[in-house]
């Protein structure tokens, strides 16, 4: 571990007092359950464990040991945002941690960040220093100070951002929930159903479209919005102890899965990791260890969850992994030397991880590591294997054009307001899905199939095989009955008619191309056109289905 120069630890006494309150972690005994005297079990027994961790090959992604405090990533894991504390910078990588830039970011306590699709917008918070925004992947930063709600002295704690970069929600320590629906051009305050309106918030997170938001405080308060922050309701989180000192919360892409954990600052350590699979209506404890939880990350569908813990009393810091939606967790083997694990982020597919260590309150520096697994596959968009089904049929044009073969693949388009049951088939983005058995007891409304692979499976067309076999038998064409007119009727010119929309042809979308307004691309069998917003926004690595402000679905013209 490198020695931290005294200059790196210079901070005003007033801000230090507040920051130690904000930092949390490292101070608990590790033994008592909050509000009681009994000790929680130190680990699951081997027979209780369900999760089996894939192999992680950790790579030190940043050359120096620093006092890391926050991590965030885009859905792919290529864009990483890492914040230092106390007098550090915010660092951005656009290649998964291979190289970094801090741009013109000022020094401060970079307490939290959020990233939109492809890194088109990054919002980062300086504790006591305000909000900063980058629209060029961290090359430059601009302070957001267009409202008293986001002034430079604001004690921000956390921020979340919709994938199109338009909806921003942030929480302030001993302050309000602050919201924007236009990328930070204007701001308003979230209104709670009860007083006071200002709480000691610790974290906030939301669904990929910003519709579902969950905010937690270290005084045991949990509030949820299901309408982009327009209204809020208190969440009953039993069986967790009432008054649990919540510190971190994470929400799945569609908002149905939520994970929460506590930390010592509020008066006692967290009593475990609590998970909900119904938007916070009911909860279970997937990990019962009493300790200081410092970070939670989650795959898009909520099946893979990563959690960091710092050292608390006799309980050593660790990194936890679950691949069964938080029903069980195992401790990951980590590189030697670091125990003050502070923060974590995971790609939407659950296969790319970044973890960092550091402890502001003790001046302990740590390393930042990245890893890639070959296991879970719920990638953000369904680009894996499903070769778009609509177009393959025209090629085998065996003259009897009446049976064009897309019929067996026909299924209704997926609808976000419909409750599907096992066996139901739907189409989305040119791919056919079938509802799995898990849909029988899971609320799958507004659960896009590509986001929730536990509820949907990609399925091939089950009926006649694509048309090679159906037509060969008629080849002898003996023409017994149609004696008079031999074969002129079968359409004079055999197959020119099935010219399936040459005007719809467009190059496949590429994540490395910068598209300008009017540019057309295809992705997953859908035609998109770049909107006017692409003239001023960096739209590389911005999948069209993820960034509706930059792309519009187009029809053949």
């Amino acid at each position: 571990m490198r020695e931290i120069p005294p200059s790196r630890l210079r901070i005003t006494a007033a801000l230090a007092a507040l920051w130690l309150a904000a930092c949390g972690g490292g101070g608990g005994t590790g033994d008592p359950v909050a509000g009681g005297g009994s000790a929680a079990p130190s680990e699951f027994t081997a027979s209780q464990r369900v999760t089996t961790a894939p192999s992680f090959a950790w790579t030190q992604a940043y050359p120096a040991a620093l006092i890391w405090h926050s991590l965030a990533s885009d859905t792919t894991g290529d864009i990483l945002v890492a914040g230092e504390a106390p007098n550090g910078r915010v660092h951005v990588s656009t290649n998964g941690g291979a190289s970094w830039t801090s741009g013109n970011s000022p020094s401060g306590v970079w307490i939290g960040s959020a990233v939109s699709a492809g890194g088109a917008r990054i919002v980062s918070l300086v504790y006591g220093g305000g909000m900063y925004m980058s629209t060029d992947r961290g090359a430059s930063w601009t302070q957001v100070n267009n409202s008293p709600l986001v002034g430079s002295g604001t004690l921000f704690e956390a921020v979340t951002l919709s994938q199109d970069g338009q909806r921003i929600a942030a929480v302030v320590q001993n302050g309000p929930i602050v919201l924007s629906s236009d990328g930070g051009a204007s701001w308003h305050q979230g209104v709670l159903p009860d007083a006071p309106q200002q709480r000691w918030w610790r974290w906030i997170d939301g669904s990929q479209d910003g519709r579902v938001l969950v905010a937690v405080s270290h005084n045991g308060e949990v509030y949820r919005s299901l309408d982009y922050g327009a209204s809020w309701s208190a969440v009953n989180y039993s069986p967790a102890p009432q008054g649990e000192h919540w510190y971190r919360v994470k929400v799945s892409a569609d908002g149905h899965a939520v994970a929460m954990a506590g930390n010592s600052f509020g008066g006692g350590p967290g009593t475990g990791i609590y998970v909900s699979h119904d938007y916070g209506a009911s909860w279970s404890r997937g990990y019962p260890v009493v300790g200081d939880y410092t970070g939670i990350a989650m795959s898009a569908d909520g099946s893979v969850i990563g959690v960091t813990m710092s050292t608390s009393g006799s309980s050593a810091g660790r990194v936890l992994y679950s691949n069964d939606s938080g029903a069980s967790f195992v401790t990951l083997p980590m590189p030697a030397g670091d125990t003050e694990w502070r923060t974590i982020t995971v790609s939407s597919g659950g296969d790319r991880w970044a973890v960092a260590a550091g402890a502001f309150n003790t001046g302990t520096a740590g390393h930042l590591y990245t890893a890639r697994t070959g296991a879970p596959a719920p990638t953000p968009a369904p680009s894996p294997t499903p070769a778009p089904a609509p177009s393959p049929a025209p090629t085998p044009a065996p003259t009897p054009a009446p049976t064009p073969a897309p019929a067996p693949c026909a299924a209704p388009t997926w609808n976000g307001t419909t409750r599907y049951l096992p066996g139901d088939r739907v189409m989305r983005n040119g791919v056919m899905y079938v509802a799995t058995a898990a849909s029988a007891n899971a609320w799958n409304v507004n659960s896009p199939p590509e986001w929730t692979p536990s509820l949907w499976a990609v399925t091939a067309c089950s009926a006649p095989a694509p048309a090679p076999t159906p037509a060969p038998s008629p080849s002898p064409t003996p023409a017994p009955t149609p004696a008079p007119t031999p074969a002129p009727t079968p359409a004079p010119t055999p197959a020119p008619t099935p010219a399936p929309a040459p005007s719809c042809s467009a190059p496949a979308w590429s994540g490395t191309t910068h598209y300008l307004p009017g540019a057309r691309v295809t992705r997953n069998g859908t035609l998109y056109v770049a909107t006017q917003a692409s003239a001023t926004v960096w739209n590389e690595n911005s999948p069209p289905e993820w960034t509706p402000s930059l792309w519009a679905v187009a029809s053949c013209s």
Side-chain angles (χ1 to χ4, degrees):
M1 180 184 300
R2 74 181 178 94
E3 183 177 349
I4 307 299
S7 62
R8 297 299 301 276
L9 294 174
R10 202 169 292 139
I11 192 166
T12 68
L15 189 56
L18 283 168
W19 169 243
L20 283 171
C23 176
T29 63
D31 295 326
V33 175
S38 59
S42 62
E43 271 286 6
F44 281 120
T45 64
S47 62
Q48 289 175 304
R49 289 179 177 160
V50 178
T51 289
T52 301
S55 59
F56 281 80
W58 295 103
T59 300
Q60 185 176 324
Y62 196 87
L66 299 174
I67 304 177
W68 298 110
H69 194 77
S70 60
L71 274 175
S73 67
D74 74 336
T75 56
T76 67
D78 288 328
I79 312 295
L80 295 174
V81 183
E84 290 183 70
N87 297 320
R89 310 281 293 280
V90 64
H91 307 268
V92 178
S93 173
T94 59
N95 49 21
S99 61
W100 299 83
T101 180
S102 53
N104 63 338
S105 62
S107 63
V109 175
W110 292 90
I111 197 167
S113 296
V115 186
S116 70
R121 175 172 278 120
I122 304 173
V123 180
S124 293
L125 307 176
V126 179
Y127 180 79
M131 176 184 290
Y132 286 81
M133 191 177 297
S134 173
T135 54
D136 54 11
R137 297 181 173 184
S140 62
W141 294 88
T142 302
Q143 185 169 6
V144 181
N145 53 13
N146 57 347
S147 166
L149 292 172
V150 292
S152 59
T154 307
L155 299 176
F156 282 114
E157 282 282 344
V159 63
T160 184
L161 179 64
S162 62
Q163 282 300 293
D164 64 2
Q166 294 303 298
R167 294 188 176 275
I168 306 170
V171 288
V172 179
Q173 182 189 98
N174 213 13
I177 300 172
V178 179
L179 303 164
S180 173
S181 59
D182 52 16
S186 63
W187 298 88
H188 60 282
Q189 181 175 320
V191 179
L192 301 179
D194 50 358
Q197 291 299 307
Q198 298 187 340
R199 309 293 173 104
W200 204 293
W201 302 113
R202 283 305 189 175
W203 210 253
I204 188 169
D205 197 43
S207 58
Q208 59 95 18
D209 59 0
R211 183 180 68 87
V212 180
L213 297 168
V214 181
V216 299
S217 88
H218 74 214
N219 290 328
E221 298 148 322
V222 180
Y223 283 84
R224 178 192 64 192
S225 172
L226 299 177
D227 53 12
Y228 305 96
S231 62
W232 295 82
S233 59
V235 172
N236 180 350
Y237 47 78
S238 176
Q242 291 304 302
E244 179 85 355
H245 306 297
W246 299 115
Y247 194 64
R248 293 292 183 260
V249 62
K250 189 65 183 173
V251 177
S252 66
D254 67 355
H256 84 281
V258 186
M260 306 190 302
N263 188 284
S264 281
F265 172 70
T271 61
I273 302 169
Y274 295 86
V275 183
S276 170
H277 298 290
D278 51 14
Y279 299 89
S282 61
W283 298 85
S284 60
R285 184 167 67 165
Y287 190 70
V289 175
V290 173
D292 287 325
Y293 295 87
T294 53
I296 305 177
M298 185 183 288
S299 62
D301 66 352
S303 63
V304 174
I305 302 175
V307 179
T308 51
M309 296 178 69
S310 62
T311 297
S312 174
S314 59
S315 179
R318 68 197 77 173
V319 179
L320 302 169
Y321 171 88
S322 171
N323 62 4
D324 56 8
S325 303
S328 62
F329 288 82
V330 294
T331 300
L332 292 178
M334 297 300 294
D338 286 308
T339 58
E340 296 291 347
W341 297 107
R342 181 68 205 182
T343 180
I344 186 170
T345 187
V346 175
S347 67
S348 63
D351 58 340
R352 299 183 71 177
W353 289 50
V355 182
F360 168 88
N361 54 333
T362 60
T364 303
H367 295 91
L368 193 162
Y369 296 94
T370 57
R372 186 190 294 261
T373 74
T379 26
S383 46
T385 24
S391 45
T395 329
T399 10
T403 341
C409 281
T413 302
W414 174 83
N415 184 331
T417 61
T418 300
R419 167 80 161 91
Y420 294 97
L421 296 175
D424 287 346
R425 294 188 173 214
V426 297
M427 296 292 295
R428 181 166 163 84
N429 296 328
V431 180
M432 179 180 280
Y433 297 87
V434 60
T436 66
S439 295
N441 49 28
W443 184 259
N444 62 6
V445 174
N446 197 26
S447 301
E450 68 271 26
W451 281 100
T452 48
S454 61
L455 305 180
W456 294 96
V458 174
T459 182
C461 306
S462 64
T469 348
S473 47
S475 60
T477 48
T481 328
T485 348
T489 327
T493 348
T497 330
S503 55
C504 280
S505 62
W509 174 81
S510 167
T512 59
T513 301
H514 182 192
Y515 295 97
L516 295 176
R520 292 190 168 212
V521 298
T522 57
R523 178 165 165 83
N524 297 327
T526 303
L527 181 67
Y528 295 89
V529 61
T531 66
Q532 193 58 39
S534 295
T536 55
V537 175
W538 185 268
N539 64 3
E540 292 185 22
N541 197 27
S542 302
E545 66 271 28
W546 281 89
T547 48
S549 61
L550 304 180
W551 294 96
V553 174
S555 57
C556 306
S557 57

